[in-house]
């Protein structure tokens, strides 16, 4: 698949196949894509905690508050992305430019992760509705949790939905 095909095929998975485990080589490819993702000053100010089994179920429970993300309990893998301190050069740049480079870098890492997962035939959903304190306790994390990504094979009935996006003219202007 080329990148536009991946972008067309990738969607937030809302129904996971609980009987089909993710092969280690596919998981390795997804994690390698994150490792290769660009970041400010190559600092990679994030950490990914890979959760399976009972730990994945506990993390899933921590993203389902108030009835949100109910499907997450079906995912065999939960990837917890926590924020880490800046490298010194990025910390200086962030302060001088008043820009939150960590959030940008985490977003880029999540995009690389989900794109490679789609290329591997896996489903993902990026979850921002989460209980930071609970997940930090479950995963023994010192720093804030910024995103959780559910990962697994989509059920066969989780068909590709039409993409609802703004028109290109609404997103791009030329000067």
């Amino acid at each position: 698949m080329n990148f536009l095909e991946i972008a067309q095929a990738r969607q937030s998975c809302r129904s996971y196949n609980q009987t089909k485990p993710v092969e280690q080589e596919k998981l390795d490819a997804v994690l390698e894509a994150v490792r290769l993702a660009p970041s400010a000053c190559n600092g990679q100010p994030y950490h990914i905690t890979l959760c399976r089994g009972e730990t994945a179920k506990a993390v899933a429970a921590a993203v389902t508050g108030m009835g949100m993300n109910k499907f997450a309990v079906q995912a065999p893998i939960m990837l917890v992305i926590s924020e880490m301190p800046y490298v010194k050069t990025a910390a200086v740049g962030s302060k001088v430019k008043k820009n939150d480079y960590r959030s940008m870098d985490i977003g880029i890492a999540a995009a690389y992760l989900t794109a490679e997962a789609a290329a591997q035939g896996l489903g993902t959903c990026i979850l921002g509705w989460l209980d930071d304190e609970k997940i930090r306790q479950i995963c023994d994390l010192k720093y804030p949790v910024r995103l959780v990504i559910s990962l697994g094979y989509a059920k066969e009935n989780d068909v590709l939905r039409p993409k609802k996006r703004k028109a290109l003219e609404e997103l791009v202007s030329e000067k």
Side-chain angles (χ1 to χ4, degrees):
M1 277 198 238
N2 68 39
F3 188 76
L4 285 179
E5 290 169 331
I6 291 168
Q8 285 290 335
R10 196 259 158 213
Q11 67 181 359
S12 294
C13 184
R14 301 279 198 258
S15 184
Y16 289 95
N17 181 338
Q18 295 176 278
T19 63
K20 188 173 181 182
V22 174
E23 299 89 343
Q24 189 61 47
E25 60 272 9
K26 289 186 176 192
L27 181 57
D28 290 345
V30 167
L31 297 173
E32 179 65 5
V34 173
R35 190 184 74 80
L36 295 173
S39 62
C41 303
N42 293 319
Q44 296 176 295
Y46 45 82
H47 178 81
I48 297 173
T49 304
L50 171 64
C51 304
R52 298 185 216 219
E54 292 304 312
T55 306
K57 289 178 183 175
V59 170
V63 300
T64 58
M66 296 179 65
M68 300 295 286
N69 305 320
K70 292 178 186 177
F71 59 88
V73 299
Q74 302 168 358
I77 296 174
M78 301 296 279
L79 299 166
V80 175
I81 303 179
S82 53
E83 181 180 282
M84 299 299 288
Y86 281 119
V87 294
K88 289 181 181 168
T89 50
V92 170
S94 177
K95 192 169 192 148
V96 169
K97 291 299 185 181
K98 296 179 175 70
N99 238 334
D100 181 9
Y101 297 124
R102 282 184 293 212
S103 290
M104 293 177 210
D105 293 343
I106 289 169
I108 294 166
Y112 270 54
L113 187 156
T114 57
E116 182 57 32
Q120 293 293 329
L122 299 168
T124 57
C125 190
I126 302 169
L127 308 167
W129 181 273
L130 54 87
D131 185 330
D132 172 64
E133 187 176 316
K134 189 179 277 186
I135 296 172
R136 286 169 74 172
Q137 188 175 41
I138 293 164
C139 296
D140 192 29
L141 298 171
K142 180 179 177 182
Y143 296 103
V145 174
R146 295 300 179 211
L147 293 174
V148 174
I149 300 177
S150 56
L151 177 78
Y153 282 98
K155 283 185 181 174
E156 287 184 25
N157 64 351
D158 190 39
V159 296
L160 187 61
R161 300 177 296 274
K163 297 209 181 279
K164 298 176 185 174
R165 302 292 191 267
K166 291 180 179 179
L168 192 58
E169 297 76 27
E170 292 180 69
L171 295 173
V172 179
S173 61
E174 187 173 338
K175 300 286 183 192

